[in-house]
Structure formats: C-alpha cells, structure tokens
Amino acid sequence: MIEYYNSKKPPVEFNYIGKGYSDAYQTAVLAMRKRSTDYDVMYLDEPWLYEFYINGWLEPLGDVDMSGVPQAIADLGKYKGVTYAMPITGNFNFMFYNKEILDKVGESPPKSWDDVLRIAETVNQRLAPKSYGWSGRYTVSDVYITVLLSLGGYIFNPKDRVTPTVDTPEAVEALKITRDLASPKRAHPKTTTWSSNAEISDAILSGELAMGAVWSGWVKDVDDPSRSKVVGQIYFMPMPGKRPVSQTGVWCYAVPVYSRNKELAKDYIKVATSYEAQKYAHLKVGLPPTRTNVYEDPEVKQKSRLAKMSAEVTKAGVPARTNPIYIKLSSELDSIFIKVVLGELTPEAAAAQMQKRLMEESKKAGLL
C-alpha cells in the first residue's frame, strides 16, 4: 500500500515498523499511554479498537468512502457515530468444502450443522486415512466463536460491544457442535494438535480435508497449481446454522491523536483503502478486500473462480471479539474451550466459566 500511495501521490518517505501480533498491540498501547508522536498511521486488529476509542487515542477521519463495505464491517470503525478507523484487510473465519471429496461419498454441500456432522463422519468412515471429514484451529476458540455466531449467539452484546453474552442456550449448543465435529470419528487426527496455521493450510492443499473452518489466508492458494493438489475443488461458504455467518478478523488503519502529520496520514488512509487500491492489492498479492464490490469487478472475477464465493463470505461477516478484555483472556478462554473438546468439561460448565471470567475482568477494567 505504501508503494501504491507513492505511485499516486508526490512520494512520501515512510518508516514502516512491522511487528508480530502481540508486540504490535503492546507497542501501540504503550505509545498512546506515553502520548508518543512516533506514529502517524496504525494498523489495528478489531479486538483492539474499543480500547483506543474509549481512551480517545484516535483522530476522527472525517468523511470517508465506505462504498462496498458491508455495514457490520463499516461499523467496526465507528464509535458514537464518528469514524475513527478504516477497514482495509477483509480477513474472515468461514467454512470451506472440497467438492470432489463430497462427490466421492455421494454428498451435496452442507446446509446445516447436522449435514456437516453427517458428512464428516461418512468421509472418515469411507476415505480415511487419505482424507478426513473436518478440521480447524482448535488450539484457540476460532471455530467455536464462528459456530456460536451462526446459531444467533454472541460473545459480547453487539449493541454495546462489551457485555459478555456466553451464558445462553446458543453458547452451550455451539460448544456441543464444535466438540462433536472434533471427535475422532469425524475429524483429522491432528485437529487438536496442529503445530501451525501453515500445517492446516497444507492439509487442505493436499486434499486431506473435506471440510473445515478457515481464515482467508489459509486458502488463498487453493487454485495455484504450483502449491495446490486441489485446484478447482475447493469452495467457500459462510458457516451454516440459523443464519449464514463468517466471523470478521478485519484489520483497520487509524491515525493516532498524537500524530504530527494528521492530514497526510488521513490522505494515506484515504488512498490506501480506496476501491482502486484494494483491487490493486488483491490482484497483486491476494490481500482480501473489505469492499465486496472488488470481488464483483470483471477483471477480478475473470482471474478468480473464488471471487463470487469470497463476496458472499464478506457480506456475511459478523464481528465477535469486540471487547478489549478478549485480548487479556483469550488464552484462558481457549483453555476452557479445549477442555470441552477433550471431554474434561461439560459445555454447560464451560459456558458458565467463560461468562464468569468475562464479567469479572470487564468490570475490573471499568467496561461495565
């Protein structure tokens, strides 16, 4: 995006500081607490945004072009009706299926979680160890959260973004479904022990998985013949359930309130998040856009069999991790979740524990 900006505007000298996930968050928070003027543009993950909003750390962006951005995603960048952050990276957790594997067992694409459970079991019975029915990243709660959203539930109340809401029948049902999908009779043997996201991606590209929950980057190479053995076989879809859903993992650009170059920073964000820039980045390096109309562009559709499916996943995006306390508690919540999967804790007890800890820490942080 820096290269793109400098090709459209009088060149600007950028000092880009790339960091890993945890370091990026800690650096950004520390800089704001110290009122540092070191940064003019920040790249923020959605669980971090609310903390920056309530502390007054971000500069209002003024009138911005959100055309093509689904409302739920556009709203991520707003606080009390004012836009402080511009979504740029359309990352989602959704479902994929391998049509060739489903055809081998005489199944159609799933329309419900009952379908997914049945198909996964059939694949394991008939095709293992060459192919398995289901997998996802079970060392964290990603799969559970997206299943919960598909059932109409939430981790945090979408009206205020912070009130925990996992003490519901939907939360318990989501834990049961996620646990049952991970059982040995349905899942890949490594489902609870994948060593990395790349390992899951490799299993998809090699044809080991019939279905699963994935983030956008894991499946960007499914039609690249130099990397994939499943070219033309993989299809994307929102998670099935009471409503078709994908979980947002959207990243945003924002201007720190302490920046000394606010207007230039706003101009960079305006250009770098434009329709033209998102199309450029998508075609050049596969960056998933937040503007669904990029996927509807004739050139994009011609070059990608997945464009229409990706648009549907983007339109179905629902934010889930909106309370900043999620960052602090994510490892603890993941531990509770995996105990359910391993049969060490009932879904009912797990939901109650999650709710208790989220409420305790949210109150301690002054969010409730």
Side-chain angles (χ1 to χ4, degrees), residues 65-78 86-90 92 246 248 250 278 289-296 310-319:
D65 173 21
M66 289 278 190
S67 59
V69 180
Q71 192 63 50
I73 297 173
D75 287 345
L76 281 172
K78 297 178 182 179
M86 191 68 189
I88 179 171
T89 306
F92 299 92
S246 60
T248 59
V250 171
Q278 291 216 343
T290 50
R291 299 182 190 272
T292 55
N293 48 355
V294 171
Y295 289 119
E296 294 160 358
S310 298
E312 293 305 311
V313 165
T314 303
K315 291 174 182 176
V318 175

Side-chain angles (χ1 to χ4, degrees), residues 24-274:
Y25 170 71
Q26 297 295 341
T27 298
V29 170
L30 184 61
M32 294 301 92
R33 287 176 177 167
K34 290 185 173 182
R35 301 191 174 192
S36 170
T37 60
D38 289 348
Y39 303 99
D40 298 307
V41 176
M42 284 184 168
Y43 186 55
L44 305 176
D45 193 11
E46 64 184 62
W48 313 349
L49 291 172
Y50 193 85
E51 183 175 2
F52 282 72
Y53 294 156
I54 62 175
N55 284 299
W57 289 340
L58 300 181
E59 180 75 9
L61 296 181
D63 292 332
V64 293
D65 173 21
M66 289 278 190
S67 59
V69 180
Q71 192 63 50
I73 297 173
D75 287 345
L76 281 172
K78 297 178 182 179
Y79 180 63
K80 293 185 176 180
V82 178
T83 299
Y84 292 94
M86 191 68 189
I88 179 171
T89 306
N91 191 32
F92 299 92
N93 187 255
F94 55 94
M95 187 172 157
F96 83 90
Y97 62 90
N98 184 316
K99 188 176 184 301
E100 184 170 296
I101 295 177
L102 265 58
D103 287 345
K104 286 181 181 179
V105 295
E107 290 283 0
S108 301
K111 295 181 179 180
S112 68
W113 285 117
D114 285 341
D115 286 349
V116 177
L117 289 162
R118 184 193 69 255
I119 295 168
E121 187 168 348
T122 302
V123 171
N124 271 33
Q125 287 175 345
R126 294 177 53 182
L127 301 181
K130 185 176 181 180
S131 297
Y132 296 91
W134 173 267
S135 199
R137 188 165 65 163
Y138 272 69
T139 50
V140 295
S141 309
D142 290 342
V143 183
Y144 165 65
I145 293 172
T146 316
V147 173
L148 172 61
L149 292 173
S150 79
L151 298 178
Y154 295 92
I155 294 186
F156 304 107
N157 190 319
K159 293 181 179 179
D160 65 10
R161 306 188 187 187
V162 293
T163 302
T165 56
V166 290
D167 55 345
T168 62
E170 291 84 2
V172 173
E173 182 64 20
L175 284 166
K176 291 178 180 178
I177 290 172
T178 314
R179 175 200 63 193
D180 293 348
L181 284 168
S183 72
K185 66 180 181 180
R186 298 185 181 95
H188 191 289
K190 291 186 177 180
T191 291
T192 58
T193 59
W194 292 113
S195 61
S196 67
N197 298 337
E199 193 177 12
I200 303 175
S201 180
D202 288 344
I204 297 168
L205 298 180
S206 66
E208 291 179 40
L209 291 175
M211 300 175 294
V214 291
W215 287 100
S216 303
W218 305 1
V219 285
K220 66 182 178 66
D221 295 323
V222 292
D223 280 351
D224 179 354
S226 68
R227 291 212 57 204
S228 173
K229 296 180 180 178
V230 293
V231 174
Q233 298 176 25
I234 302 297
Y235 288 76
F236 301 164
M237 61 178 284
M239 294 280 195
K242 293 181 180 178
R243 58 178 179 177
V245 157
S246 60
Q247 180 195 166
T248 59
V250 171
W251 287 73
C252 298
Y253 274 149
V255 178
V257 72
Y258 306 115
S259 166
R260 291 177 176 172
N261 300 291
K262 292 176 183 176
E263 294 309 311
L264 182 58
K266 291 178 188 178
D267 188 61
Y268 169 75
I269 291 175
K270 177 182 178 181
V271 173
T273 62
S274 67

Side-chain angles (χ1 to χ4, degrees), residues 47 141 145 155-156 321 323-330 333-334:
S141 309
I145 293 172
I155 294 186
F156 304 107
R321 302 161 297 134
N323 183 326
I325 210 66
Y326 179 84
I327 298 294
K328 179 179 180 180
L329 289 182
S330 59
L333 297 176
D334 294 341

